[in-house]
Amino acid sequence: MEITKKNIDDLNAVVTLKITKDDYAGNVEKTLDNYRKSANIPGFRKGAVPMSLVKKQYGKAVLLEEVNKLIQEKLNGFLQEEKIDLLGNPLPKADLDIDWDADDFQFEFELGLAPTFDVDLSAKNSITQYKIVADEKMIDDQVRRIRKQFGKLISQNEITEDADVTGVFLNEDKGIENRTTISLDIFKDKKTSKSFIGKKVGDIVSLQTKGLFDDDHKLMDYLKVSHDDVHGLDVTVDFKIEEITTSELAELNQDLFDKLFGPGVISSEKELKAKIKEDAEKQFATSSDQKFLNDVTDFLLKNTKFDLPSAFLKKWIQTAGENPMTPEEAEAEYNKSESGLRYQLIEGKIMTDNNLQLTFDELKAYTSNIIKRQMAQFGQMNPTDQDVEGIVARVLSNQDEAKRLSEQVMSEKMLNLFKEKVKAKTKEVQYEAFVKELYGE
């Protein structure tokens, strides 16, 4: 057999396989002989069917099967040996007219080649890495919420300024129906807050959504409206009052501190505020990291230039799925997936250039930490190593879970690499300012 590759351009090539009778004849004869031994043909004893009859009945099908096996084996071997970096799978040329009555055959396969490019992580950019801080007002508000949560709940007949009100936001046209508990200080306008004073269970307060809160995104929390719908939303919602309560605030004493964080962890209001600040900023760091990762991804997609074998990929997409696509469907699918493919190539290049690898021990350690955190949430603070290892083994035996966790570990590795290599400016902001930056407002 002779296999050759011809480059059409930097992104496309054709592999030609020339197969002679000597390459396949032995396997064809062997397979037909096995057919002859087991064939049940009327008029002949089993195993005594003439080979000429077997060839007439099965010869062409066996020839096709053995030649196709040979093509797959030799083509895959050639691609691996030559270390050809492909996009998609080889496509047999559709316009070849194969004469299956001949002794020798020639097959051609189109290849889509991965592009060659460089990724410059240190390039000049406008990326900002945010450090989100918990300000004093946020911390004081959290302290008050904690004291209310652990305080004594007292039912009231009517709403007062410091009351908590449970009820349902309703707007039939917009499909809004969300039960929630509010305090009167959530509203942007004091006039809105005062409209609740003196109201009783069963009363309905009508509100305009436009300007209801100091940040429209709060509509997502209180009304369960999607982010796409909150901006400029200007409708009337009814708030039907179901329950009115107030709280006798819990004292800031050791008993409360121990309930919150365990015996002896903190022992003063100052330490409580420091702990709240620390925990909040840990949570904020996750949001900051995700935005940084997204911004770096966008930057790399916009600034890492390379071409793709688009015509080949569209042709390949037509035949890659269970059901063949029309050219128009393949075009739409390609346009939808092109950005993802580009970043997949960029990410692979970064991993290769920086020798980013994932070991099974790293995956096990990462999974183990997740399991321990989950167990701690249910009060299992000190599980045995044997218990944890057993759960980890079960989790990683699931291929989908193992893949998902592997992607999380690699995402962390990429994030740490970006923090090290990408020249970003650092900006300290409060959480509300970060939300505005996040949504471009």
Side-chain angles (χ1 to χ4, degrees), residues 135 207 306 324 390 434:
D135 59 276
L207 306 165
F306 55 84
F434 172 75

Side-chain angles (χ1 to χ4, degrees), residues 39-196:
N40 288 311
I41 296 180
F44 298 94
R45 286 184 295 106
K46 187 175 181 179
V49 180
M51 180 58 80
S52 59
L53 190 58
V54 172
K55 285 183 177 181
K56 183 177 180 181
Q57 187 162 347
Y58 301 107
K60 187 62 66 70
V62 171
L63 172 65
L64 266 65
E65 182 179 357
E66 293 299 330
V67 169
N68 279 322
K69 284 182 185 177
L70 186 63
I71 290 171
Q72 292 301 318
E73 177 189 349
K74 297 301 181 182
L75 179 59
N76 290 337
F78 175 78
L79 296 175
Q80 291 177 12
E81 185 178 333
E82 296 294 318
K83 297 180 180 178
I84 300 173
D85 197 1
L86 299 179
L87 296 181
N89 293 322
L91 283 177
K93 276 203 167 183
D95 57 352
L96 291 181
D97 186 14
I98 306 298
D99 180 6
W100 290 102
D101 292 322
D103 290 335
D104 301 335
F105 309 105
Q106 178 171 306
F107 301 91
E108 293 182 356
F109 290 85
E110 298 178 68
L111 306 181
L113 307 180
T116 301
F117 59 92
D118 293 316
V119 180
D120 186 3
L121 293 178
S122 62
K124 184 178 179 181
N125 59 71
S126 57
I127 296 172
T128 299
Q129 189 172 358
Y130 292 94
K131 175 176 171 52
I132 309 171
V133 295
D135 59 276
E136 288 187 19
K137 181 180 182 303
M138 176 180 284
I139 295 169
D140 288 342
D141 289 346
Q142 181 61 16
V143 170
R144 181 173 175 80
R145 280 193 289 271
I146 289 171
R147 294 183 68 189
K148 286 184 69 173
Q149 180 184 349
F150 287 88
K152 183 180 178 182
L153 201 63
I154 303 170
S155 293
Q156 294 189 171
N157 292 325
E158 63 180 45
I159 298 175
T160 56
E161 190 172 318
D162 61 347
D164 289 324
V165 187
T166 299
V168 183
F169 280 108
L170 297 163
N171 180 290
E172 187 175 348
D173 291 341
K174 289 291 183 179
I176 297 171
E177 183 176 353
N178 186 54
R179 189 175 191 271
T180 187
T181 299
I182 62 173
S183 56
L184 301 189
D185 59 1
I186 66 169
F187 300 113
K188 181 179 180 180
D189 187 357
K190 288 184 179 179
K191 185 178 179 181
T192 303
S193 301
K194 289 180 179 179
S195 68
F196 280 81

Side-chain angles (χ1 to χ4, degrees), residues 293-336:
L293 191 61
N294 292 344
D295 288 347
V296 174
T297 299
D298 290 342
F299 171 80
L300 292 173
L301 280 169
K302 290 175 183 175
N303 293 277
T304 306
K305 306 296 185 182
F306 55 84
D307 293 326
L308 292 171
S310 55
F312 169 85
L313 289 171
K314 292 171 188 176
K315 192 186 300 183
W316 173 68
I317 288 171
Q318 282 187 256
T319 61
E322 291 184 7
N323 299 313
M325 292 185 180
T326 65
E328 293 75 20
E329 290 172 335
E331 173 93 24
E333 183 64 26
Y334 175 79
N335 292 336
K336 186 169 64 176

Side-chain angles (χ1 to χ4, degrees), residues 1-2 17-24 67-68 70-71 103-107:
M1 176 183 288
E2 180 184 345
L17 292 83
K18 294 181 178 179
I19 299 175
T20 67
K21 188 174 182 178
D22 290 341
D23 296 319
Y24 62 82
V67 169
N68 279 322
L70 186 63
I71 290 171
D103 290 335
D104 301 335
F105 309 105
Q106 178 171 306
F107 301 91

